[in-house]
Amino acid sequence: MRTIIFAISLLLTVFCHSQPYSIGDKVPIFNLPAEPGMNQPPSTVAYKGKLLILDFWSVNCFSCIASFPMVDAIQQKYGDKLQIIAITKDKKEVVEKMFTRRPYLRPRVPFLIGDTLFSTAFPHKFVPHHVWINEKGIVKYITHGANLNETTLDAYFRGEHLNFLKSAFLKDYDHTQPIWKEGGGRIAHHVKYYSMLSDYITEHGNFISWIDEDKVGITGFTVVTQVC
């Protein structure tokens, strides 16, 4: 199977929606034109009867890139009933530069490069971000990348319901306040563990961090845990 990379300057046959897609929504058929000189990628009609997983990623996401060999292995194993599409907002030249330096990381799945439409239809703040669309075109799960593995896929194909929790983010979260004071203590009763400095607690899912600094030096270090 040849990896297909194509830009997201798309003409979609039917891919419009007044609001972002949510669990339970039906996703319409869409066509994805290829760049000149490349093979024409299929529309979702070609994936009818398959589980379709949209894998949102970024070149700046180490865990996304580290998962590509696993993504490739899963696609090859379940290819008769699963299709994964890797989607990024990064520009084509940035993505190609990364894979030129590390060609062994390129999974054999279709890629959407320079995306704006799918990221609008399935908005998210952090990657990896996965959308599972079932065989009937219904959004089944919206979850993080850690849930893509053989255990969950085997359970899915056995017809079992997967207890994936949808991540929710506070747009107005005040990072200047201690977690037990933020927002008047609105989430304090949800906190099970906290510390000023600690190792990453693996059972709490993914995290993102950043450093604040000025001309003098570092003024703050923030870690946000995505509880899933």
Side-chain angles (χ1 to χ4, degrees), residues 37-58:
M38 299 189 75
N39 291 340
Q40 180 68 26
S43 72
T44 50
V45 171
Y47 307 139
K48 187 176 181 180
K50 289 187 176 185
L51 169 64
L52 181 63
I53 296 181
L54 308 182
D55 178 2
F56 293 90
W57 69 286
S58 167

Side-chain angles (χ1 to χ4, degrees), residues 8 10 12 15 19-21 54-58 85-90 112-127 129 131 142:
I8 198 73
L10 299 179
L12 295 169
F15 195 66
Q19 298 292 331
Y21 286 86
L54 308 182
D55 178 2
F56 293 90
W57 69 286
S58 167
I85 298 180
I87 303 176
T88 179
K89 292 186 284 187
D90 295 321
L112 300 183
I113 308 299
D115 168 58
T116 56
L117 291 174
F118 281 82
S119 295
T120 300
F122 301 101
H124 53 280
K125 287 191 174 182
F126 305 127
V127 289
H129 179 76
V131 177
I142 298 176

Side-chain angles (χ1 to χ4, degrees), residues 58-67:
S58 167
V59 295
N60 296 319
C61 172
F62 175 79
S63 62
C64 300
I65 297 168
S67 73

Side-chain angles (χ1 to χ4, degrees), residues 69-139:
M70 178 271 296
V71 168
D72 183 80
I74 285 177
Q75 180 62 72
Q76 302 314 305
K77 178 176 180 179
Y78 300 94
D80 60 332
K81 50 189 175 182
L82 166 70
Q83 181 60 61
I84 301 171
I85 298 180
I87 303 176
T88 179
K89 292 186 284 187
D90 295 321
K91 294 181 179 179
K92 178 184 177 182
E93 53 267 28
V94 176
V95 175
E96 288 293 354
K97 181 178 180 181
M98 184 194 75
F99 282 130
T100 298
R101 290 184 296 183
R102 302 179 181 88
Y104 56 89
L105 289 175
R106 187 192 296 263
R108 288 167 287 178
V109 300
F111 274 69
L112 300 183
I113 308 299
D115 168 58
T116 56
L117 291 174
F118 281 82
S119 295
T120 300
F122 301 101
H124 53 280
K125 287 191 174 182
F126 305 127
V127 289
H129 179 76
H130 285 189
V131 177
W132 294 40
I133 302 173
N134 72 10
E135 294 81 352
K136 296 181 180 180
I138 305 296
V139 178

Side-chain angles (χ1 to χ4, degrees), residues 3-16:
T3 299
I4 304 170
I5 298 182
F6 46 96
I8 198 73
S9 55
L10 299 179
L11 172 63
L12 295 169
T13 303
V14 184
F15 195 66
C16 57

